[in-house]
Amino acid sequence: MVSVPKELRARTSSPDRTRAIAAALAGVSRPGDLVLLSGDLGAGKTTFTQGFAAALGVTEPVTSPTFTLLNAYEGRVRILHADVYRMEVLQEVFDLGLHESLDDGDIALVEWGDAASAALPVERLEIALRFGKGDDDRFIELRAIGASWADRNESLAAALEPFG
């Protein structure tokens, strides 16, 4: 397993800045990528996904998939946005069909993905959103796992540089 150095972090103080960070990271993404999002309720996982999807040409509103479990958005590449918060067994995560969709070239962002990581491909980018002191302050930490992401270490660091 290859991990990106821990210094890949960003700070944000507004939802718009969170979307901008996500957009910068979307520029490093490739078809077939898996992005796992973690953080407490209200930390900005859906806000992050909005910025990521917009950067890849999605024009429709991106909303939380908490009750639908999976939303699909068409852009330059199809974006799958899943929420596994309410899933009780790992088989439910397999049933979403993310493995097959990634093989087809979709990009998947999975909220609460840390809770279901055992049922998801190992090759992934893990993004943790943590609350800061102010109401809109967040810390965003990245951990890249797998050779594909390791090849993009420098690109990930460059994308985050303006948001140090």
Side-chain angles (χ1 to χ4, degrees):
M1 220 185 308
V2 178
S3 294
V4 173
K6 286 193 177 261
E7 57 269 16
L8 284 186
R9 296 180 183 156
R11 294 178 61 174
T12 178
S13 57
S14 72
D16 286 340
R17 189 165 166 94
T18 299
R19 288 184 196 97
I21 292 168
L25 292 171
V28 181
S29 68
R30 299 177 185 159
D33 278 347
L34 172 64
V35 178
L36 302 187
L37 301 168
S38 65
D40 291 332
L41 286 171
K45 296 177 292 294
T46 298
T47 299
F48 183 95
T49 303
Q50 291 167 345
F52 195 99
L56 294 175
V58 172
T59 57
E60 65 187 284
V62 172
T63 59
S64 175
T66 298
F67 297 105
T68 59
L69 303 181
L70 180 68
N71 293 333
Y73 301 100
E74 297 297 331
R76 290 187 294 282
V77 62
R78 192 166 89 139
I79 306 293
L80 301 177
H81 181 203
D83 185 329
V84 298
Y85 180 73
R86 296 182 314 124
M87 294 186 173
E88 296 179 15
V89 294
L90 290 179
Q91 184 59 46
E92 292 177 293
V93 178
F94 284 114
D95 292 345
L96 287 175
L98 293 176
H99 290 82
E100 295 82 6
S101 294
L102 294 171
D103 289 343
D104 291 342
D106 297 340
I107 295 175
L109 289 93
V110 181
E111 295 191 22
W112 305 99
D114 54 328
S117 62
L120 296 167
V122 173
E123 185 91 16
R124 60 184 175 237
L125 180 64
E126 296 178 349
I127 299 176
L129 293 102
R130 310 268 183 247
F131 289 106
K133 290 183 181 182
D135 289 345
D136 291 326
D137 294 339
R138 303 287 186 274
F139 296 99
I140 299 174
E141 299 173 350
L142 275 68
R143 182 171 165 237
I145 301 173
S148 171
W149 284 106
D151 291 345
R152 293 179 262 176
N153 283 351
E154 289 181 23
S155 298
L156 288 166
L160 288 179
E161 190 173 332
F163 305 100

